[in-house]
């Protein structure tokens, strides 16, 4: 069931979203060659907890379930590098000059989630990489722009595809945007491509995480043996952007912003 959130509930998501945006800004300020993904993860976790919130990802088992077992996600941030699309696990790996570093973060405030992601480039990007990253961001913004009352989920999908496809980028299909609220993943799914259906009609109070993932090659991906890290099958570079938004009578409102 797709739920519509009240103004008070959206306010809680907005509060969580501010901290999520602050974490991404902190990561950007500290991102440099030699820093490890584990150090960035600890920075993010400290900031979320210092604001009285809980990380959305740590201990996540999928399907809205959390736990401490071997299949639980072990970190606060997802940090994916170069051909890693999403769900990369932080650790001892040091970041290098020229790499694409995609960071995904979520926080829970009084039971309500917010979720966002950005792709950064360490140092000066090549024109090809800079275009991939910027196009992914613009595709996200195009999708957000289509999230208005009376439109449908398919209009968001079409706007994202239309921003990405002319450049020849692969549009990852196995992982898509989603509804969000008291769970990190709720109905409806929000594909980043035309999927043959128009989807539900958008109305004020519907909250979505819109998150295109584009590659320099094929759209095909696979999951690494760690059970989490998603990589491109052909080894091509990838970028990922995401915002949590609320559909309002005045249009879409981005909740994951400072």
């Amino acid at each position: 069931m797709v739920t519509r959130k009240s103004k008070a509930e959206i306010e809680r998501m907005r509060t969580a979203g501010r901290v999520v945006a602050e974490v991404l800004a902190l990561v950007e300020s500290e991102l440099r060659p030699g820093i490890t993904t584990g150090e960035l993860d600890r920075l993010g976790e400290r900031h979320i907890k210092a604001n009285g919130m809980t990380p959305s990802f740590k201990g996540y088992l999928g399907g809205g379930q959390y736990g401490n077992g071997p299949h639980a996600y072990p970190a606060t941030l997802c940090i994916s590098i170069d051909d890693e699309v999403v769900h990369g696990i932080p650790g001892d790996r040091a970041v290098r000059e020229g790499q694409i570093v995609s960071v995904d973060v979520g926080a829970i405030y009084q039971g309500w989630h917010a979720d966002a992601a950005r792709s950064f480039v360490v140092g000066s990007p090549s024109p090809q990489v800079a275009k991939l990253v910027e196009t992914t961001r613009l595709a996200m913004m195009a999708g957000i722009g289509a999230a208005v009352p009376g439109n449908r989920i398919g209009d968001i999908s079409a706007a994202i595809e239309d921003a990405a496809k002319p450049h020849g980028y692969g549009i990852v299909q196995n992982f898509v945007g989603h509804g969000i609220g008291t769970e990190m993943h709720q109905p409806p799914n929000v594909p980043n491509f035309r999927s043959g259906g128009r989807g539900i009609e958008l109305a004020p109070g519907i909250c979505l995480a819109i998150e295109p993932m584009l590659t320099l090659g094929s759209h095909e991906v696979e999951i690494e043996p760690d059970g989490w890290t998603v990589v491109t099958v052909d080894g091509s570079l990838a970028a990922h952007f995401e915002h949590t938004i609320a559909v309002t009578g005045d249009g879409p409102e981005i909740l994951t912003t400072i």
Side-chain angles (χ1 to χ4, degrees):
M1 179 186 297
V2 177
T3 60
R4 295 170 64 177
K5 282 70 176 178
S6 69
K7 290 183 178 180
E9 290 165 344
I10 291 172
E11 179 59 33
R12 294 187 185 99
M13 295 176 68
R14 187 182 294 112
T15 300
R18 174 183 53 78
V19 170
V20 165
E22 288 171 355
V23 169
L24 291 172
L26 284 169
V27 168
E28 182 177 29
S29 71
E30 295 297 322
L31 190 60
R32 62 186 183 277
I35 195 168
T36 68
T37 55
E39 289 175 300
L40 294 173
D41 182 65
R42 289 187 287 275
L43 176 74
E45 183 166 340
R46 283 196 303 269
H47 189 74
I48 290 171
K49 290 184 174 179
N51 281 273
M53 300 185 192
T54 303
S56 291
F57 302 166
K58 196 164 189 178
Y60 190 64
L61 293 165
Q65 300 299 309
Y66 288 83
N68 297 311
H71 301 297
Y73 189 75
T76 291
L77 306 183
C78 295
I79 303 180
S80 309
I81 296 177
D82 286 344
D83 65 330
E84 298 171 354
V85 180
V86 69
H87 300 162
I89 299 173
D92 297 331
R93 179 170 49 166
V95 172
R96 300 196 307 272
E97 179 80 18
Q99 289 183 316
I100 300 175
V101 180
S102 297
V103 180
D104 195 352
V105 56
I108 310 169
Y109 175 67
Q110 295 182 357
W112 292 85
H113 292 258
D115 184 11
R118 285 179 61 186
S119 287
F120 305 98
V121 180
V122 184
S124 300
S126 68
Q128 184 183 43
V129 167
K131 183 178 178 181
L132 171 68
V133 170
E134 179 62 3
T135 301
T136 308
R137 186 188 70 82
L138 291 174
M140 174 190 66
M141 295 307 297
I144 292 171
V148 298
N151 271 0
R152 293 182 176 269
I153 293 294
D155 295 309
I156 297 174
S157 304
I160 294 171
E161 181 179 303
D162 288 346
K165 196 170 184 179
H167 303 283
Y169 296 138
I171 304 173
V172 172
Q173 299 184 12
N174 295 48
F175 297 86
V176 298
H178 50 88
I180 186 169
T182 53
E183 295 181 7
M184 184 165 52
H185 297 107
Q186 295 181 331
N189 285 340
V190 186
N192 298 308
F193 53 93
R194 289 179 172 86
S195 58
R198 294 199 66 202
I200 66 161
E201 183 174 334
L202 301 174
I206 290 177
C207 293
L208 305 170
I210 296 175
E211 53 174 330
M213 305 169 198
L214 306 183
T215 80
L216 285 178
S218 169
H219 71 272
E220 295 182 354
V221 298
E222 60 188 2
I223 299 176
E224 294 278 81
D226 63 21
W228 284 102
T229 307
V230 178
V231 298
T232 57
V233 169
D234 60 7
S236 60
L237 298 176
H240 174 207
F241 278 80
E242 177 183 22
H243 270 310
T244 294
I245 67 110
V247 179
T248 79
D250 297 322
E253 178 190 353
I254 296 173
L255 303 180
T256 42
T257 189
I258 297 173

